[in-house]
Amino acid sequence: FYSNIKYQGNSLRSICAIQNGPLPSGNDNYFISVKPIDKVNDTVFLLRVTTTQKSGVARLQMTVLKSPEKYGFPPSALQPDTTFKLRTNDARVLSAVRIGNTIQYLQNSINFKTFQAHLTHNTIYRIADNPYIKARMITDDSLDFGYPAIAAAGKDENDPSVAITFVYSSPWHFPGMALMYCNRYGEYSIFINVKK
């Protein structure tokens, strides 16, 4: 059990466990956190628990990374009944998956160009040795997004394809849930409505 996890005297909050997918890979466990309530930030905390609890020698390690895509506290999402807005929560990492030597994670964020609630899709490469991040924002001209989730969709650890789900709304669209696919080359499918 690890507690009182801090960076520069500040506690990490909303630490997200990273799922192994499509199959378990090794004995290490990974976790991720960001600064979810900041208006603008690029700091990412990659936590690793080495080996198993049963071994008696497991250690907690922290690597501090910088994302090339800044994230920030997202606005609430608009919907046709503008007296109410859909809360998008904060910019915490809500879902992550480890595939081989990479980790992909999603978070809510403000789109700093349009000031909409959108998503960042981030990949940490070389997680065990000298990790670095590549990031992209998933956007739409009219829709606001929130509450993303990610799952491995490839056949093995050499295929980083993923399925991504999220909720959406806009002043012209009632809230719904959508699904999209990102293939091994990083190309996104169009998203489909799962539930209107």
Side-chain angles (χ1 to χ4, degrees), residues 7-61:
Y7 177 71
Q8 295 181 342
N10 297 313
S11 296
L12 270 59
R13 50 182 284 164
S14 305
I15 297 172
C16 177
I18 298 169
Q19 298 180 31
N20 284 308
L23 298 169
S25 181
N27 292 328
D28 293 358
N29 285 283
Y30 287 86
F31 304 82
I32 196 163
S33 184
V34 295
K35 295 186 175 183
I37 59 173
D38 285 5
K39 288 184 179 179
V40 181
N41 213 305
D42 61 1
T43 305
V44 177
F45 304 99
L46 180 62
L47 304 170
R48 176 185 181 191
V49 177
T50 61
T51 195
T52 63
Q53 179 184 10
K54 186 176 180 180
S55 71
V57 294
R59 292 184 308 123
L60 175 65
Q61 300 173 339

Side-chain angles (χ1 to χ4, degrees), residues 172-185:
W172 309 278
H173 299 85
F174 284 102
M177 182 178 176
L179 168 72
M180 67 190 307
Y181 175 72
C182 183
N183 68 18
R184 66 172 64 214
Y185 307 108

Side-chain angles (χ1 to χ4, degrees), residues 114-131:
T114 65
F115 302 104
Q116 292 171 269
H118 284 152
L119 311 174
T120 61
H121 178 197
N122 314 276
T123 303
I124 304 175
Y125 293 91
R126 296 196 317 239
I127 59 174
D129 178 39
N130 198 23

Side-chain angles (χ1 to χ4, degrees), residues 57-96:
V57 294
R59 292 184 308 123
L60 175 65
Q61 300 173 339
M62 180 190 302
T63 302
V64 181
L65 302 168
K66 295 289 181 192
S67 173
E69 180 79 49
K70 291 189 185 303
Y71 61 83
F73 198 94
S76 292
L78 300 176
Q79 60 179 354
D81 181 352
T82 53
T83 23
F84 297 99
K85 293 182 181 179
L86 295 177
R87 295 206 173 120
T88 56
N89 211 335
D90 51 37
R92 76 186 70 182
V93 175
L94 292 173
S95 186

Side-chain angles (χ1 to χ4, degrees), residues 158-175:
N158 296 315
D159 183 354
S161 301
V162 291
I164 296 170
T165 63
F166 52 90
V167 296
Y168 66 86
S169 70
S170 84
W172 309 278
H173 299 85
F174 284 102

